[in-house]
Amino acid sequence: MELTLWTYEGPPHVGAMRIAASMHGVHYVLHAPQGDTYADLLFTMIERRDKRPPVTYTTFQARDLGGDTAELVKRSIADAVQRFQPEALLVGESCTAELIQDQPGALAAGMDLGGIPIVNLELPAYSKKENWGAAETFYQLVRGLLKSQLPAPGTPKPDPARWRAEGRRPRLNLLGPSLLGFRCRDDVREITQLLGSYGIDVAVVAPLGARPADLQRIPTADANVCLYPELAGTLCSWLERQFGMACVHTVPIGIGATVGFLREVHGVLGLELPAELQPGADGVCEAERRSRLPWYSRSVDSTYLTGKRVFVFGDATHAIAAARIASRELGFQVVGLGSYSREMARELRAAAAELGVEPLISDDYLAVEAAIAEAAPELVLGTQMERHSAKRLGIPCAVISTPLHVQDVPARYAPQMGFEGANVIFDSWVHPLMMGLEEHLIGMFRHDFEFVDGHRSHLGDGAPVAAPAEASAAPAMAAAAGVGLSWSPEGEAELAKIPFFVRGKVRKNTETYARERGLAVIDSEALYEAKAHFSR
């Protein structure tokens, strides 16, 4: 067991809460001690919702352990059904309550609750985590509600193009968006509008905003869109096996992926591909011009961005998409790619191999921070934790994935998917780099009377401060350089003149050069020799 200050995912019962809170008419009875009710804050504070999640806690205390906690569970279930009148009931236990083995789901199944569908959630808290818990809850809920609609063995698969024979518009389900996801609300709106512009309707969006009755309509659609694989991958595979429903797997984050998504949708539904989705003479289709990202990334103004070293970390869906956008659409160099999503480790490893980088599959934020420091990037694309790590390292950062802070849940429209999502991504990623340039300019003119202490940019106290030459040769610098290696005052002074967003890389290269040549002190001459060596 390891003590930590930060976790990328909560226990699986928090994932179940995400499904219940995302839907209408669903209630979750959670067998948990009093201290496990903290998860309410995730929804009221981070999501800024005006109501608490639809969860009833048994909230047993230490003194209850000597009595009949099973009776407490049954009483809580009965009270919740009477008070909230749910259309479907989820019953589970927190990681602490799992040790008591009261089996609340089995207790609920033995009660007369008026025919309400009951889903018994068995979520192993000590081997699985939040995203898995959300995916399993979503899958079990839909599976339970569709049990009576399962086709008989041998039934032919439905034709995704049957909409034409039925004289209607084609329709798709959008599966996977939920509360505490990354910009899910706006992604759904953007993709719904995008599909509508091509004459395609959205039948069901789930779990976000759906009711149990909506889940029962899932088979009426012509195909499913696995919008967020971490949450919907298991369900989409089951629907494909049991109902023969085709699935669109391309996640439309970025220009290339959005065009690929639309092409896959048209192919699955048997729709003729519009001219604007077909590549032109220059290899660019007309649809790509609906976003400002491709134009700007090819313009003279973007040359400052070309070749920037970026480190990417987050949930697998957003990390893979971010790495692809960075390398293919913005001309960045991806120097690190990782995720805490172990269930999608295979997909992330494949993406890392394509980029020629070593994949990082870890939920240890300290290991991630160490990898960032080692890679010495000029931009970090990560979670809320990487924002903190990057600030300590003095590197610009943009948040691209959960876990997130309330500031990453904007009140304005800010999707990540579709053509408008590409605009939002471009702004979110480029602005930290531009602010980094501003930081450097402030450093250059720090001796002017206008730039007194306190005139700092977005990095605050985490940004490296250029120290005067007379204060150089500090022990910290020597420790950072390694045992037996230090910087002279002249060397430090020259290093301070280098823009901070590449200073870490220059420091690392120079120290490597010095060790290889057995230098004990790095002066200005050694710095320039190292620069000349690595530029060849």
Side-chain angles (χ1 to χ4, degrees):
M1 184 174 292
E2 183 178 350
L3 182 65
T4 183
L5 296 175
W6 177 272
T7 178
Y8 288 101
E9 296 182 86
H13 74 264
V14 173
M17 288 181 64
R18 287 174 58 183
I19 302 302
S22 297
M23 297 185 63
H24 302 291
V26 175
H27 198 81
Y28 185 22
V29 176
L30 182 62
H31 190 29
Q34 203 163 25
D36 279 359
T37 59
Y38 67 90
D40 279 18
L41 289 174
L42 298 174
F43 298 90
T44 56
M45 181 180 70
I46 295 179
E47 282 280 359
R48 295 190 286 199
R49 285 168 56 83
D50 58 353
K51 54 185 177 182
R52 62 178 296 272
V55 180
T56 293
Y57 299 92
T58 59
T59 56
F60 62 84
Q61 301 179 47
R63 64 173 179 268
D64 297 319
L65 297 179
D68 190 355
T69 52
E71 191 60 36
L72 176 63
V73 172
K74 294 168 67 174
R75 187 166 62 250
S76 298
I77 292 172
D79 291 346
V81 170
Q82 181 179 8
R83 179 181 177 187
F84 298 105
Q85 298 293 308
E87 299 164 30
L89 187 69
L90 306 176
V91 182
E93 54 198 348
S94 72
C95 45
T96 310
E98 184 180 331
L99 301 173
I100 304 174
Q101 298 184 344
D102 278 331
Q103 297 182 322
L107 293 173
M111 298 173 64
D112 181 10
L113 299 176
I116 296 173
I118 300 171
V119 179
N120 177 17
L121 298 177
E122 296 183 356
L123 308 177
Y126 296 97
S127 59
K128 299 294 184 179
K129 294 197 173 183
E130 180 182 329
N131 279 339
W132 183 90
E136 182 68 10
T137 301
F138 189 32
Y139 161 66
Q140 293 291 353
L141 179 58
V142 175
R143 179 177 176 175
L145 292 171
L146 293 182
K147 186 184 299 183
S148 62
Q149 299 184 41
L150 284 172
T155 302
K157 292 184 177 182
D159 181 7
R162 65 184 182 273
W163 56 272
R164 189 176 285 109
E166 296 175 5
R168 58 172 174 80
R169 283 161 55 112
R171 52 180 177 243
L172 298 171
N173 297 319
L174 304 183
L175 302 180
S178 75
L179 293 179
L180 292 183
F182 195 75
R183 311 284 175 85
C184 291
R185 174 199 65 191
D186 296 344
D187 284 347
V188 167
R189 175 180 162 188
E190 177 68 17
I191 297 305
T192 300
Q193 292 174 343
L194 183 61
L195 292 172
S197 68
Y198 288 94
I200 303 167
D201 294 330
V202 172
V204 175
V205 175
L208 189 64
R211 307 191 77 91
D214 295 322
L215 301 185
Q216 294 176 317
R217 295 191 296 109
I218 285 178
T220 66
D222 301 306
N224 296 313
V225 175
C226 188
L227 212 55
Y228 299 95
E230 278 89 351
L231 264 66
T234 303
L235 175 61
C236 287
S237 297
W238 181 79
L239 290 170
E240 199 163 6
R241 292 194 309 271
Q242 299 297 325
F243 288 85
M245 296 187 72
C247 183
V248 176
H249 291 282
T250 303
V251 179
I253 301 179
I255 295 297
T258 298
V259 171
F261 165 79
L262 290 171
R263 288 172 177 167
E264 185 179 359
V265 165
H266 280 75
V268 166
L269 295 175
L271 283 164
E272 182 180 352
L273 195 66
E276 70 166 13
L277 291 176
Q278 297 177 10
D282 58 353
V284 179
C285 68
E286 189 61 31
E288 294 186 34
R289 307 186 197 282
R290 293 166 65 174
S291 170
R292 293 176 59 81
L293 187 152
W295 169 82
Y296 192 92
S297 63
R298 296 186 183 100
S299 72
V300 67
D301 290 336
S302 72
T303 54
Y304 167 70
L305 308 176
T306 305
K308 289 297 181 188
R309 296 164 54 85
V310 297
F311 189 102
V312 183
F313 190 89
D315 69 58
T317 295
H318 287 90
I320 292 171
R324 184 184 59 248
I325 295 168
S327 61
R328 298 182 186 177
E329 299 179 19
L330 289 174
F332 293 164
Q333 179 188 358
V334 178
V335 296
L337 174 60
S339 175
Y340 56 82
S341 303
R342 296 185 182 276
E343 289 79 13
M344 292 184 64
R346 180 180 300 175
E347 292 86 346
L348 188 123
R349 288 193 178 100
E354 187 177 332
L355 292 165
V357 298
E358 188 68 25
L360 174 62
I361 311 295
S362 176
D363 58 2
D364 182 351
Y365 69 95
L366 293 176
V368 177
E369 181 171 330
I372 294 172
E374 175 67 22
E378 295 155 88
L379 174 68
V380 174
L381 304 174
T383 73
Q384 167 69 359
M385 190 61 236
E386 280 64 58
R387 193 206 314 266
H388 291 301
S389 297
K391 190 171 184 178
R392 282 193 291 271
L393 296 169
I395 304 171
C397 178
V399 174
I400 62 163
S401 160
T402 56
L404 41 68
H405 190 268
V406 64
Q407 69 190 82
D408 303 307
V409 187
R412 69 183 186 281
Y413 183 57
Q416 297 290 285
M417 295 184 176
F419 296 116
E420 183 59 27
N423 289 336
V424 174
I425 286 173
F426 182 78
D427 286 343
S428 301
W429 296 9
V430 169
H431 288 173
L433 285 172
M434 295 302 187
M435 291 294 285
L437 179 61
E438 175 185 289
E439 185 87 24
H440 172 53
L441 293 175
I442 291 175
M444 286 177 62
F445 295 101
R446 65 186 182 278
H447 298 302
D448 289 8
F449 69 93
E450 294 95 341
F451 291 90
V452 296
D453 289 342
H455 282 75
R456 304 299 304 284
S457 185
H458 67 301
L459 293 175
D461 294 334
V465 179
E470 58 271 14
S472 56
M477 291 287 285
V483 178
L485 186 64
S486 62
W487 287 75
S488 72
E490 295 80 11
E492 282 193 47
E494 290 301 313
L495 183 65
K497 297 177 182 178
I498 295 172
F500 85 89
F501 41 81
V502 293
R503 195 179 301 151
K505 180 181 177 182
V506 172
R507 182 200 301 277
K508 181 179 176 182
N509 287 346
T510 305
E511 290 168 356
T512 300
Y513 176 86
R515 289 192 188 95
E516 290 175 351
R517 283 153 183 76
L519 301 178
V521 178
I522 301 175
D523 55 17
S524 58
E525 184 177 350
L527 175 63
Y528 285 109
E529 286 178 356
K531 181 180 178 183
H533 170 76
F534 285 103
S535 65
R536 286 196 290 267

